[in-house]
Amino acid sequence: MNTMTQDILPGENKGAALKKVKAHIKAYIIDVLLWSYIVLAGWKIVYEKAIIGARYSNFSWDQPLLSLGLGFVIALVLFFTRVSIGKAVNGLYERNPEKTVLSEPFTILGYVIFAITFVSGLLISQVSIREFLSESGLHGAKRIFLALFNPNFAIIQDALFAGVETIYMAFIATAVALPVAFILAFFAARNLMNGSRLTMTIYSVVRFLLNVSRSIEPLVWAIIFSVWVGIGPFAGMLALSLHSVSSLSKLYSEQIENISDGPIEAMTATGAHPIQIIWYGVVPQIVLPYLSFTIYRWDINVRMATVIGLVGGGGIGTLLMQYQGLAKWNEVGLLVIIIAAIVWIMDYLSSKIREAIK
Amino acid sequence: MLKVTELHKKYPNGTHALKGVSFDVKQGEFLVVIGLSGSGKSTLLRCINRLHEPSHGTINFEGSDITNIKGQPLRTLRSKIGMIFQHFNLIPRKTVMTNVLAGSLSRTSIFKSILGMFSDEEREKAKRFIKIVGLAGKENQRADNLSGGQQQRVSIARALMQNPKVLLADEPVASLDPATSHSVMQYLKKVNEELGVTIICNLHFLSLVRQYASRVIALKGGKLIYEGQPLDIDENWFKTIYGEEAVEVTID
């Protein structure tokens, strides 16, 4: 029994009606987009490439527009039947409990969309069994595989040094990112920042910047930094730490959002300063998960450092790129073995450590 | 020492939790607040140390109006009001000692508290309070490894560390078993009688109320509907406070 009263506002019924209209509009928009996609993909990819067999179909911008127009019409006609996916995902159909979702008409339309996408995908990626099994192709592959399985141990010293460079580079990238992410995470945690409008603004700005920098691949950052500070491990490290800051901040702040409010409330009640509240009420709850994320991040950074080396980020990746460019497959074989060993060891160690501190 | 006048609290979601509550608390009292879940007891307690902001009305503590103070004055006020919680709210993974020392944060500088540099004096004091709540020798154990009753006693020691004038207890025994409940209530009584700390405590069980309270107020739907001596709550009052259907459950 709850004796707390809820004030019922007079506009609440109107709100519900408005919500229903909005859901219908959303459903219709989804249907239009889906039908336009079906028309466009079916026509330009499946029909022209597979059935007519045109290698390069001529494209003009009226074609997607025409598809969109057709989409509007088809979606409108079918909106009142049970094949509207938009209505289904917005929960506007009354469900028959005896029937499973899988046998509903809108699910069958879903299968059709999947089939069109699958066929289009095959056509666009130019999947060809003939080329996969062609004689000259197989011959080339055999040559490379033989060389790879016959690694040249003469360069093992260079390769190991480059591998060590990669590991240290990843370590420094993680270590530099750690304190920055640690501080940023507090500003990106909703439960700490929802106090006033000012803090919410800071929260939104920090979140936005983190999302933008995270959505740019470290590979792209490495290209930018290798122009900025010159090709080498420093550029790779900068690229990795930038990306680590954004992804660690995100993981950290999610951890902060999951903590229990009890200790924070208790620390506030003692009259502690906000910084003391964070240090005593928040930090003890997040230290272990942070440690675990950070070690995992180092592990990821070692793998990424290899890839980043390919574009001039230094370490074993750069070495790999050089030998590959010279078509020295025996040397490449050795590098591949060393990379695999490093990744495997890092993976094993990081999972062991993370298990131990859980 | 504490005077609450016409206190209203309306949450942003529209819940009107307190609807004009007024009462006085005298020095040295053991005041118990009773009422159903959702009657506004917790909100009332949290308005007193301003963990929640009152929407309307005034709170007067030791002669000064504290309804709207902010910043350092608010922190100083909170340091004079200890609080213990239903779920103890101890700092996880920290020792009993650190948890009790956290009660002295308001008079420790930010820098020293981050480094954990509490003075010997504070440590001695913490030890004394740990002894008072019967946990001597457990100073260096992790607080989250203790039993529920012991954790609640750590939180009493933490509150005492603040040198509080008032101790707010929000359902301190609601997550404990009957025997432990009595032990925790007895420690609260000891704090009240021997250290002279005024206590305002939310409780569910009337049997506990009769045993420990020096005065009782009852809330229903955010309004104060009863104020008096614990032994004066008869069958009729009980039904008014808890509803016609209610049957009293005892805890012994």
Side-chain angles (χ1 to χ4, degrees):
Chain A
M1 192 162 94
N2 194 344
T3 49
M4 258 194 224
T5 49
Q6 203 89 24
D7 297 48
I8 294 156
L9 300 167
E12 261 184 355
N13 279 326
K14 213 168 81 190
L18 194 70
K19 239 184 190 166
K20 213 171 166 195
V21 172
K22 268 190 186 165
H24 276 90
I25 294 173
K26 249 202 295 191
Y28 181 61
I29 292 173
I30 291 174
D31 280 355
V32 169
L33 292 176
L34 284 175
W35 275 110
S36 310
Y37 170 73
I38 294 173
V39 171
L40 190 64
W43 168 27
K44 291 303 292 176
I45 305 172
V46 179
Y47 176 70
E48 286 193 355
K49 284 205 176 182
I51 298 175
I52 298 188
R55 198 127 231 237
Y56 302 101
S57 52
N58 46 351
F59 176 82
S60 76
W61 281 102
D62 345 322
Q63 292 163 350
L65 277 179
L66 181 61
S67 310
L68 197 63
L70 281 171
F72 268 107
V73 177
I74 302 172
L76 190 63
V77 171
L78 296 177
F79 199 64
F80 304 99
T81 63
R82 278 188 82 84
V83 293
S84 161
I85 290 183
K87 271 171 112 171
V89 295
N90 277 297
L92 295 173
Y93 279 135
E94 271 171 39
R95 294 276 303 119
N96 178 358
E98 314 242 310
K99 248 175 138 182
T100 67
V101 182
L102 294 178
S103 60
E104 291 277 5
F106 55 78
T107 314
I108 291 162
L109 182 63
Y111 296 146
V112 171
I113 293 174
F114 178 77
I116 288 180
T117 309
F118 189 78
V119 172
S120 308
L122 286 181
L123 291 169
I124 283 178
S125 16
Q126 303 175 355
V127 173
S128 158
I129 302 290
R130 198 186 304 149
E131 271 178 39
F132 191 71
L133 295 174
S134 78
E135 198 179 330
S136 65
L138 279 179
H139 189 72
K142 187 178 150 200
R143 190 164 47 83
I144 292 181
F145 272 119
L146 276 180
L148 286 180
F149 286 118
N150 192 9
N152 177 2
F153 281 94
I155 61 152
I156 190 151
Q157 196 181 336
D158 285 352
L160 283 178
F161 278 145
V164 169
E165 195 176 274
T166 296
I167 294 175
Y168 275 81
M169 182 173 110
F171 178 74
I172 290 299
T174 318
V176 168
L178 175 71
V180 183
F182 182 84
I183 291 168
L184 277 181
F186 292 113
F187 295 102
R190 181 176 275 273
N191 56 343
L192 297 183
M193 300 300 282
N194 60 7
S196 71
R197 190 162 291 175
L198 172 73
T199 52
M200 263 325 263
T201 315
I202 298 174
Y203 163 85
S204 311
V205 171
V206 171
R207 271 271 150 136
F208 177 74
L209 290 178
L210 289 177
N211 283 338
V212 169
S213 66
R214 202 175 55 248
S215 59
I216 300 175
E217 282 291 307
L219 206 63
V220 178
W221 284 120
I223 293 170
I224 295 171
F225 281 119
S226 61
V227 174
W228 190 341
V229 301
I231 286 178
F234 185 45
M237 188 221 98
L238 285 175
L240 284 179
S241 46
L242 196 69
H243 197 255
S244 300
V245 166
S246 28
S247 53
L248 279 179
S249 303
K250 175 130 200 295
L251 288 173
Y252 288 176
S253 62
E254 271 162 13
Q255 201 57 44
I256 297 177
E257 283 169 1
N258 281 334
I259 63 171
S260 87
D261 290 333
I264 299 177
E265 197 178 28
M267 289 302 106
T268 314
T270 65
H273 187 273
I275 295 176
Q276 293 173 321
I277 296 174
I278 288 184
W279 194 257
Y280 279 83
V282 179
V283 173
Q285 298 194 60
I286 52 178
V287 172
L288 285 190
Y290 270 33
L291 205 58
S292 157
F293 285 142
T294 313
I295 292 171
Y296 184 49
R297 189 69 219 174
W298 181 25
D299 179 17
I300 294 176
N301 277 346
V302 170
R303 293 164 209 219
M304 277 198 178
T306 314
V307 179
I308 273 175
L310 298 177
V311 296
I316 201 162
T318 302
L319 207 58
L320 184 73
M321 199 62 192
Q322 285 163 2
Y323 283 114
Q324 181 264 331
L326 299 169
K328 290 190 167 178
W329 299 110
N330 302 79
E331 284 78 359
V332 170
L334 180 77
L335 292 174
V336 168
I337 291 171
I338 287 179
I339 291 171
I342 290 173
V343 168
W344 183 77
I345 291 169
M346 286 299 300
D347 191 53
Y348 178 79
L349 285 181
S350 99
S351 72
K352 279 287 162 206
I353 296 172
R354 278 182 288 134
E355 234 165 69
I357 62 175
K358 203 173 260 173
Chain B
M1 69 182 309
L2 181 76
K3 189 174 169 63
V4 174
T5 321
E6 272 301 302
L7 194 68
H8 283 264
K9 171 69 189 177
K10 201 167 179 181
Y11 286 102
N13 66 11
T15 310
H16 204 152
L18 293 176
K19 297 171 181 163
V21 176
S22 304
F23 64 97
D24 284 326
V25 185
K26 285 176 212 67
Q27 177 78 43
E29 266 194 301
F30 197 124
L31 178 71
V32 169
V33 187
I34 56 173
L36 289 167
S37 305
S39 60
K41 302 190 302 288
S42 290
T43 308
L44 178 63
L45 245 56
R46 283 170 169 73
C47 280
I48 293 175
N49 65 355
R50 300 271 313 281
L51 286 179
H52 288 343
E53 293 300 329
S55 316
H56 185 75
T58 54
I59 305 166
N60 203 294
F61 180 69
E62 292 189 315
S64 52
D65 183 359
I66 57 152
T67 325
N68 293 308
I69 55 171
K70 287 189 173 66
Q72 188 54 52
L74 176 59
R75 294 200 285 276
T76 311
L77 165 80
R78 280 176 179 158
S79 74
K80 292 183 199 160
I81 304 177
M83 185 160 190
I84 65 174
F85 304 84
Q86 179 182 350
H87 300 292
F88 327 131
N89 293 356
L90 297 178
I91 308 167
R93 298 200 180 90
K94 293 285 180 187
T95 61
V96 171
M97 190 68 183
T98 311
N99 265 289
V100 175
L101 281 171
S104 67
L105 283 179
S106 64
R107 52 177 186 272
T108 312
S109 76
I110 295 175
F111 180 73
K112 282 191 174 168
S113 59
I114 283 180
L115 296 178
M117 288 163 55
F118 293 94
S119 67
D120 290 342
E121 210 177 307
E122 301 283 16
R123 284 176 194 279
E124 276 310 306
K125 206 166 152 191
K127 255 190 177 158
R128 209 170 67 231
F129 286 128
I130 292 171
K131 202 172 161 194
I132 287 182
V133 296
L135 292 173
K138 294 198 187 290
E139 285 88 354
N140 294 318
Q141 281 195 22
R142 264 173 63 160
D144 43 4
N145 286 342
L146 300 177
S147 71
Q150 289 173 328
Q151 290 196 35
Q152 194 60 294
R153 276 141 62 190
V154 174
S155 81
I156 294 176
R158 172 173 70 188
L160 290 178
M161 211 43 202
Q162 295 172 227
N163 304 325
K165 299 271 168 53
V166 184
L167 187 64
L168 306 175
D170 185 22
E171 316 232 349
V173 297
S175 29
L176 301 175
D177 61 61
T180 328
S181 293
H182 270 289
S183 136
V184 165
M185 288 307 294
Q186 245 134 31
Y187 279 107
L188 283 180
K189 198 180 170 77
K190 190 168 153 191
V191 167
N192 178 239
E193 288 174 352
E194 291 175 19
L195 304 175
V197 178
T198 310
I199 290 181
I200 307 175
C201 177
N202 288 345
L203 279 181
H204 267 312
F205 288 103
L206 269 181
S207 54
L208 288 178
V209 177
R210 294 201 184 98
Q211 214 166 334
Y212 296 98
S214 66
R215 200 158 62 94
V216 179
I217 58 176
L219 291 182
K220 186 177 185 182
K223 287 190 177 124
L224 196 128
I225 55 160
Y226 177 84
E227 183 168 1
Q229 295 304 309
L231 293 175
D232 294 343
I233 304 175
D234 55 17
E235 187 76 3
N236 280 336
W237 270 114
F238 179 78
K239 290 219 185 291
T240 323
I241 298 167
Y242 289 97
E244 284 301 320
E245 313 283 296
V247 180
E248 189 178 341
V249 207
T250 54
I251 172 173
D252 16 55

